[in-house]
Amino acid sequence: MNKRILKTLEYQKIKTALAQFLITAQGQEQLQKLFPSDKQAQVQNWLNETKDGVDILRLGHEIPVTPTHSINAELQRLKIAAILNGSELYHINQILQTAKNIKDIFTELRNDGVNLRALYEVVDQLTSLPSVAECLAQSVDQTGKILDDASPELKRIRKTLQNAQQRVRERMEQYLRGSSSKYLSEPIITIREGHLVLPVKQSARNHFGGVVYDQSASGQTVYVEPQSVIALNNTVQEQQIAEKQELQKIMQELSDLLRPYQSELRQNAWLIGQLDLVNAKAKYAEQLRASEPLLTNDNQVDLKSARHPLIDPHQVVPNDIKLGIDYQNLIITGPNTGGKTIALKTVGLLQLMAQSGLFIPAAEESKVAVFQQIFADIGDEQSIEQNLSTFSSHMDNIINILQHTSADSLILLDELGAGTDPQEGAALAIAIIEAFSKKNCTLMVTTHYPELKVFTYNFKRTINASMEFDQESLQPTYRLLIGIPGSSNAFDIANRLGMDQQIVERARQLQSGESQDLNAMIQELEKQRKNYETSAFNYQQQAQELQRKSAAVAAKEEKLQQQKDQIIDQAKLRANQLVEQSQQQADKIIAQLRQLQQQADTQADTVVKDDQIISAQTQLKKLHHERQLQQNKVLRREKKKQAIKIGDDVHVDSYDQNGVVIGQDKKGNLEVQLGILKMRLPKEQLTKIKPEKQENQQQVSRQRAHSALPLQLDLRGERYEEAMADLDQYIDSALLANYSQVTIVHGFGTGAIRKGVQKYLQSNPRIKKFGYAPANAGGQGATIANLG
């Protein structure tokens, strides 16, 4: 990609915005090397990495990159067999610890079933070196100091040194507090040439014995190491020398430990920088509310609600822009300050961002191409060094662009032909457009020449466009209108600003007839477009209102039905409670009847008593209302349709007893043997009993439950307790319906319901296994459970 386009479209400002999210030296280094690629595979891979970073952020995670230093100098010193100091060792330890943390997090994501496009492969290239990292961690701290635990010998030396220094200080402090303090210039302990000394008056220099290491500028004070601490100070110096030797030995060993892993360390540092840059791209996408662009193979661009990323998001006007689909050349006409140049820059800059692996500030499903080159001639790029005029500068730039343009190029030309005689400029602009069209490139041009409107209308694969202008407010709206040429609103603006009406009318008369007709046609088209948009908006509002009212009515109906069902259910519950109370009393009566039956001697009495028993039982059972009878009514209707013959086993509904059909009278009534009773009953009161009756009823019930219960439960928007209760009830119903697999949609949100769902499924013994849904079926927002 040529460097001039990067400067023209302010690509560096995008990189500066990215830099604020970087926290590693390696990430900054990679950002400096980031430029748009013209290789589709490379661009797609970059976009895949950014998509992974965005998905990880949406899941509430973040790639655990920590601030790290560049280790290029450290690796170079290892290469020449040098010994690294404490700070250099710590910088390498940072790389190893960060690599370990990253691998741990991605292992967790992989175990959770999080689908990523590219970053798993990147992370798999990291080398942990756990034993080396552990050794460095226990040997060096973040300040570069070698820790006591680096070796047993260092620990022993430092302990001896500390004890010796403590004894020296205690002995010296005795002089400060004792009778000898009167010989001191000041009651302090100081250091000279590495020795603890006392500031002694010149007149008492021999009082303490020992060695004089220094004296004051006035000569009134000498700094004396007392004789009594010389031996202790010698011990301190010996231990300090031993400490330096041991530190050198430790740093040598650690450097030798790292030396075989130079390539692994270099790769780790580079990959950490890459992941840091991915993190920055994801955060920048979140800041811009950007989306992933889809790559096309045929230089087609379809930007939906595209916004310029460097304009205040509260002020920028989104635009839909298409190139290379139904037309190859897009010619935007109209007056200045309407937003033509911004539209041009938006297309170019969003292309550069996409070809750098960045998400773009546009709506979902927006498409971009991968151009080999993007050229632009935008604004006043006059060359002072060459002393060229504005027009000459533009022509020089366009000539250079023409020489390097191919079919895989995007050309952006602003105010083509400006800076010279209008007629000549318009003719030259037309010729230049024709020349670029022969190159089969993708061309986007802005111009204020009216001649290009007619040319564009007749030229193949070329379309007019304009920036909308509000006739009421006399202000541009910055909306791009494709298919409608721009009109100059000079007369209307002058008239509304108070220009004399005669002057305006005279100007209209001086305008050529063709221009008048063209402007009138454009204004009429604009008027029709606005009327259409107003009508479409009103229809949309009406449709939304109808939809809202329909939803409200449906909600009321559902609420009424729920209230009705609840009232009926409560009434049946109360009725059943009353019947159960009566049942207890009835049992006593039936028991008494049984006793009378056993005492009876005659058959007639027995029949009567059995009849009394059956009637009593039947009447009591009729008082008991079954709840949820909708399915039972269907079963009863099916039973009544069955034909009954002599010898069939039947159920007498009115007495709730089973019997056998033994005959039929002339009226069609059936004679039924009920135990020792024989009764004539109408067919309507009998139900044929089949051996497979119970099994068939269960199968019908299962089929009905299966058909009524959906395969998916949506818990989004519910409270946690409500969601868990619905889940428990749904799983029970799914098990009764013999479902083998169901989907629970819990969404992303805060993750509370998702965790609750997984905890419930894990604790339910009837759940064989469960896991996140595929990316095209909800991904982390849904869980699939297999029932057993």
Side-chain angles (χ1 to χ4, degrees), residues 640-657:
K640 290 180 181 179
K641 294 180 181 179
Q642 301 179 35
I644 302 175
K645 304 184 298 296
I646 296 175
D648 286 345
D649 294 332
V650 294
H651 181 79
V652 182
D653 296 334
S654 59
Y655 294 94
D656 196 23
Q657 297 290 322

Side-chain angles (χ1 to χ4, degrees), residues 320 322-323 326-334 340 433 443-467 480-487 518 521-522 525:
D320 295 339
K322 293 183 179 181
L323 290 170
D326 298 323
Y327 46 84
Q328 202 74 20
N329 308 319
L330 179 65
I331 313 300
I332 307 175
T333 55
K340 300 193 301 295
I433 292 173
L443 179 65
M444 189 172 179
V445 174
T446 70
T447 179
H448 61 274
Y449 290 134
E451 291 86 351
L452 267 70
K453 303 171 188 176
V454 178
F455 163 77
T456 299
Y457 182 78
N458 294 306
F459 196 63
K460 61 181 180 180
R461 293 190 57 77
T462 305
I463 192 169
N464 271 304
S466 61
M467 305 306 295
L480 178 66
L481 306 176
I482 296 179
I484 299 177
S487 63
L518 180 59
M521 179 190 69
I522 293 173
L525 285 174

